[in-house]
Amino acid sequence: NAKKTSTAETADTSKKSKYLSQPLISEIYTADPSAHVFNGKIYIYPSHDIDAGIPENDNGDHFAMNDYHILSMDSINGKVNDHGVALSVKDIPWAGRQLWAPDAAFKNGTYYLYFPVKDKQDVFRIGVATAKDPAGPFKAEPKPIEGSYSIDPAVFTDADGSTYMYFGGIWGGQLQRWNNGKYDANGSKTDSQKENEPALTAKVAKLSKDMLTFDGAVKDVVILDQNGKPLLTKDHDRRFFEGAWMHKYNGKYYFTYSTGDTHFLASAIGDSPYGPFKYQGTFMNPVQGWTTHHSIIEVKGKWYIFYHDTQLSDKTHLRNVKVTELTHNADGTIALIEPMKK
Ligand code: FUB
């Protein structure tokens, strides 16, 4: 009594087979997955995409997210749990709109959720919220982190216990509008617009012991080419755009990021969490959808990349998170991942 396969089912299977991996959940749209292992379980801190009916533009106004849901799994192929609303924009006293890509950390018996959101003046800042459970609910601090700006915080704790936040994003992420700690509301909508000068860089700041403030100055994350020269603004295939992540492998610091308008994930390797980082190459080709954003973690001796695409909706702002294995080559580079099958 074998089940007959309908034409619709066949079409669906062949559509699915175009993709290297399948969405982790389909009940809600999720993006920008920052994954961590806490208490032996995998926790994913994603953006929660919604359709707010806002037309698409280069400023990213259509990414109008209002809350976060945290996901967890016991193992990479295990069941995915959605823990419900962990933090809402309405519960962040200083927030205006657009809860973008978050990250999380654990220290001092507390879980910290770091999140970018526009303040009431429409300027992106980075906030922090705390919880006793990795899945929340999280309570936001009354103000953004002093000295923080732009988007996409990624928090990395080194072997000596020091924690660093990498952040920043150009275009809608507003990084290009910041100069010497001041925001220019009339500044460029895209990048520095100085094509032959060093590209704008991601930023890094050490976090204080209480994880709530920056300990010292915000520094540039400089990416150098093979000749030791900083990547230039015009080098769209290689320069930093948004979506920073840091992981350590074999004693080296891997700064990985999205090239934004050229849709690659790229890696650069350094000897210190502050860099400089030497550009290594693309390690993930474009996914379906405009944005590409990832995190990299080790689970039981294997490395994984969490990322998103638009398989479920085919709409730029309605994304779904995925996971696949990642390999470090013998020469230290990361093996190229093809998210779409040829
Ligand atoms: O989800 C909104 C924005 O899209 C993120 O902050 C970027 O990294 C891009 O994925």
Side-chain angles (χ1 to χ4, degrees), residues 40-289:
K41 243 179 146 159
I42 302 159
Y43 285 88
I44 308 166
Y45 298 82
S47 299
H48 174 198
D49 284 354
I50 52 163
D51 194 357
I54 297 171
E56 193 170 322
N57 59 24
D58 285 350
N59 200 34
D61 286 336
H62 48 306
F63 297 105
M65 298 84 103
N66 286 325
D67 61 25
Y68 295 120
H69 282 223
I70 292 156
L71 312 178
S72 71
M73 318 189 273
D74 287 332
S75 61
I76 286 293
N77 293 313
K79 178 175 172 282
V80 179
N81 304 304
D82 172 354
H83 295 271
V85 176
L87 181 68
S88 288
V89 79
K90 65 175 171 38
D91 298 322
I92 304 167
W94 53 274
R97 64 179 182 132
Q98 295 183 290
L99 267 185
W100 281 14
D103 193 17
F106 174 70
K107 212 177 237 180
N108 317 320
T110 300
Y111 293 90
Y112 298 86
L113 180 70
Y114 298 94
F115 56 88
V117 66
K118 282 181 180 161
D119 65 15
K120 296 190 198 297
Q121 285 72 47
D122 233 25
V123 178
F124 268 117
R125 305 270 180 182
I126 297 169
V128 54
T130 57
K132 287 292 166 200
D133 189 293
F138 283 87
K139 183 162 171 36
E141 291 292 298
K143 290 190 174 152
I145 297 175
E146 204 182 322
S148 74
Y149 50 91
S150 196
I151 58 166
D152 291 0
V155 177
F156 164 76
T157 298
D158 208 350
D160 68 357
S162 304
T163 302
Y164 304 86
M165 180 190 288
Y166 298 83
F167 63 95
I170 59 174
W171 292 34
Q174 302 179 337
L175 186 63
Q176 71 282 358
R177 294 187 168 183
W178 284 90
N179 241 319
N180 299 323
K182 288 216 162 55
Y183 180 74
D184 175 6
N186 299 313
S188 159
K189 285 192 159 62
T190 55
D191 55 24
S192 71
Q193 300 192 328
K194 294 174 185 150
E195 294 289 290
N196 293 309
E197 291 193 12
L200 292 166
T201 61
K203 304 291 168 187
V204 56
K206 195 170 181 187
L207 289 178
S208 56
K209 286 208 164 56
D210 69 5
M211 301 287 275
L212 301 176
T213 58
F214 289 164
D215 178 9
V218 170
K219 299 183 184 195
D220 288 344
V221 177
V222 176
I223 304 173
L224 304 173
D225 67 13
Q226 60 284 7
N227 300 315
K229 297 264 188 303
L231 298 181
L232 302 182
T233 302
K234 65 182 176 190
D235 194 350
H236 291 225
D237 279 351
R238 301 194 297 174
R239 59 89 175 93
F240 171 80
F241 188 105
E242 64 185 0
W245 189 257
M246 171 59 61
H247 77 278
K248 205 172 174 183
Y249 178 78
N250 266 352
K252 298 280 185 196
Y253 295 84
Y254 284 68
F255 178 73
T256 48
Y257 58 96
S258 163
T259 65
D261 56 342
T262 48
H263 319 288
F264 298 116
L265 290 179
S267 71
I269 302 178
D271 292 316
S272 142
Y274 289 119
F277 299 94
K278 196 167 167 205
Y279 178 82
Q280 300 297 314
T282 293
F283 71 94
M284 190 182 235
N285 272 332
V287 296
Q288 177 181 301

